[in-house]
Amino acid sequence: MSLTKTSTAIEKKTVGQRSVVLLIGVSLAHLLNDAMQSVVPAVFPLFQQSMKLNFAQIGWVAFTLNVTASVLQPLIGAYTDRRPMPMLLPLGMLFTLLGMGGMAIASSLTMLIVSAALIGIGSSILHPESSRVAHLTAGKGRGLAQSVFQVGGNTGQALAPLLVAFVITPQGQLGFLWFLFLALAGIFIQAYVARWYAQHLQITARTERRITNLVQDKHSKSFVVFVLGVLIMLLFSKFVYLASMTGYYAFYYMEKYDLPLEKAQLSLFALQFAGMLGTLLGGPLADRFGRKKIIWFSIFGTAPFSILLPYASPVVSILLCLAVGAILMSGFSVIIVYAQEMLPSKVGTIAGLIFGLSFGMGGLGSVVLGWMIDQTNVVYVIQLCSYLPLLGVFAFLLPKDAKLIRE
């Protein structure tokens, strides 16, 4: 009997260790994917100068990059809820590799858009299935697991401005060729994760089905629609604001302060670096204090700092970007877990929907903001977007965690 207990304990420990490996693996892959994806909008000034593009054309590149992922992610998530496909993980990185190669040799707007579409497809494949791996390895700490996965992406986004400053700026467009090595590393990591994922998929899937069958279909359609509607409003405020920062704040910075692109990247790096820390803390804080509290604070709590940012000096702008990034980014993984706990039988669908909406809103926001800048000026648009986090007040309408999860 004791031997059986010892064997069971060893087996559980081994499964736990493998779960940690999987979680670290998908987080690293997320880092590489988002670093490469975030480099594209960061080098819009380079493409604007070399190809003589206007702001609306730049917006279409961002739109393609984000909306490609927006359309595909919910579909992939819904399909993998029924039939998980581990080998999609390295396949997504292959699309990203092709897209980065296209960026290196693009000589026209059409080639830029095609390359952006390939990168978007790669991203749309990675997020739903990788988020499922994080969910299956989470145990009771779903907020922490989703934060670990998400912080990989935020770390990649934080590194993007530095990669632009030290790789793309000195070498120009051909500097994108260096990112092929990152994509290759991502393929190997995802292949490793896919192998372990496939080996343990049956056990984790059975466990998940036993849990979700107890709580699924307990909320009315009107309740689900209302909650998702509020979450979509919050995602809109967050990601359109981020689109204004990542896509156009560099132009604003250079125009207002008459400083080079490299200096503007420091503020964006501060935004993304603080966002990485905020993401890492958001999940555990939500596990401890509640999802709703962290969600409303992450959006509405950003407003005082975002409103001040356009009027700050270069040094103060870095400090404000640190505050904005830390607060604003803390809620995204929490929103995903909050929605997944409302619809536990649709983990992949929810992940695909929320990631897809985030990319889609960011992409559409980039197009609209680019058009607005062409019609007005970049200063006006950046100042206008600084008020978007005020929409976080709608988070007070979200149901309390206890009402969301009926046991």
Side-chain angles (χ1 to χ4, degrees):
M1 187 68 176
S2 60
L3 289 176
T4 302
K5 290 182 178 179
T6 301
S7 177
T8 301
I10 293 174
E11 183 178 350
K12 288 183 178 179
K13 182 178 180 180
T14 301
V15 171
Q17 291 173 341
R18 289 172 178 173
S19 296
V20 171
V21 170
L22 286 171
L23 184 57
I24 293 174
V26 294
S27 183
L28 286 174
H30 199 187
L31 184 156
L32 295 172
N33 178 85
D34 282 26
M36 291 182 283
Q37 185 174 352
S38 298
V39 161
V40 177
V43 296
F44 282 166
L46 182 151
F47 289 130
Q48 183 192 43
Q49 295 172 6
S50 64
M51 298 184 186
K52 309 301 180 184
L53 304 177
N54 59 38
F55 283 104
Q57 290 173 319
I58 290 173
W60 278 111
V61 178
F63 176 82
T64 302
L65 177 67
N66 292 301
V67 172
T68 304
S70 175
V71 171
L72 292 178
Q73 286 197 55
L75 300 177
I76 293 173
Y79 182 81
T80 56
D81 274 334
R82 298 189 301 270
R83 183 177 296 179
M85 299 180 65
M87 291 312 296
L88 281 178
L89 298 173
L91 179 62
M93 277 292 177
L94 178 60
F95 277 99
T96 301
L97 183 147
L98 295 174
M100 297 307 287
M103 286 286 172
I105 62 174
S107 58
S108 66
L109 177 62
T110 300
M111 292 182 68
L112 280 181
I113 289 176
V114 170
S115 300
L118 289 171
I119 296 170
I121 292 171
S123 183
S124 72
I125 293 173
L126 177 138
H127 286 99
E129 196 69 347
S130 293
S131 183
R132 171 178 287 278
V133 172
H135 182 85
L136 293 176
T137 61
K140 295 182 179 179
R142 291 176 180 171
L144 175 60
Q146 194 64 229
S147 286
V148 172
F149 167 64
Q150 189 61 32
V151 81
N154 288 130
T155 304
Q157 293 167 13
L159 292 174
L162 297 183
L163 292 172
V164 171
F166 296 107
V167 178
I168 301 295
T169 301
Q171 302 185 46
Q173 191 174 338
L174 289 178
F176 274 100
L177 292 175
W178 287 103
F179 294 97
L180 299 183
F181 294 102
L182 297 184
L184 285 172
I187 290 173
F188 285 114
I189 291 172
Q190 291 289 66
Y192 176 80
V193 171
R195 184 168 63 250
W196 284 112
Y197 180 23
Q199 290 174 354
H200 297 283
L201 185 59
Q202 292 182 344
I203 296 173
T204 53
R206 282 199 301 269
T207 301
E208 184 185 49
R209 281 197 296 270
R210 285 201 301 271
I211 296 172
T212 57
N213 285 339
L214 295 175
V215 296
Q216 64 182 349
D217 301 325
K218 289 192 175 183
H219 294 297
S220 66
K221 288 185 178 179
S222 59
F223 179 89
V224 172
V225 169
F226 173 77
V227 173
L228 289 178
V230 175
L231 293 178
I232 289 171
M233 174 67 72
L234 300 178
L235 291 171
F236 168 83
S237 66
K238 171 184 170 70
F239 284 99
V240 175
Y241 175 72
L242 284 177
S244 72
M245 290 296 294
T246 58
Y248 303 109
Y249 182 72
F251 295 103
Y252 172 85
Y253 189 100
M254 289 186 291
E255 179 176 325
K256 181 175 181 179
Y257 305 122
D258 194 26
L259 293 172
L261 176 62
E262 293 88 339
K263 296 291 185 181
Q265 297 301 319
L266 292 178
S267 290
L268 293 177
F269 171 73
L271 177 79
Q272 301 289 8
F273 179 78
M276 174 190 67
L277 298 179
T279 298
L280 186 60
L281 293 174
L285 289 174
D287 287 337
R288 181 176 178 84
F289 297 108
R291 317 251 186 255
K292 178 180 176 179
K293 292 179 181 178
I294 300 302
I295 290 172
W296 73 255
F297 175 72
S298 72
I299 309 294
F300 192 61
T302 302
F305 304 99
S306 65
I307 292 171
L308 288 174
L309 180 59
Y311 309 99
S313 66
V315 174
V316 176
S317 72
I318 294 176
L319 299 177
L320 290 174
C321 281
L322 287 171
V324 168
I327 299 173
L328 187 61
M329 303 291 196
S330 65
F332 184 64
S333 61
V334 183
I335 289 175
I336 294 174
V337 174
Y338 184 88
Q340 286 175 335
E341 289 179 340
M342 179 177 65
L343 296 171
S345 65
K346 296 178 174 61
V347 172
T349 302
I350 288 297
L353 176 65
I354 292 179
F355 277 113
L357 284 171
S358 67
F359 285 115
M361 289 176 179
L364 183 59
S366 294
V367 173
V368 174
L369 294 177
W371 175 82
M372 290 177 63
I373 292 172
D374 283 334
Q375 301 303 311
T376 57
N377 56 74
V378 69
V379 172
Y380 171 78
V381 171
I382 290 296
Q383 291 175 350
L384 180 65
C385 289
S386 70
Y387 292 93
L388 282 171
L390 288 174
L391 293 175
V393 71
F394 286 99
F396 287 100
L397 299 176
L398 291 172
K400 294 182 179 180
D401 297 5
K403 184 178 180 180
L404 191 74
I405 310 170
R406 298 178 181 176
E407 297 180 340

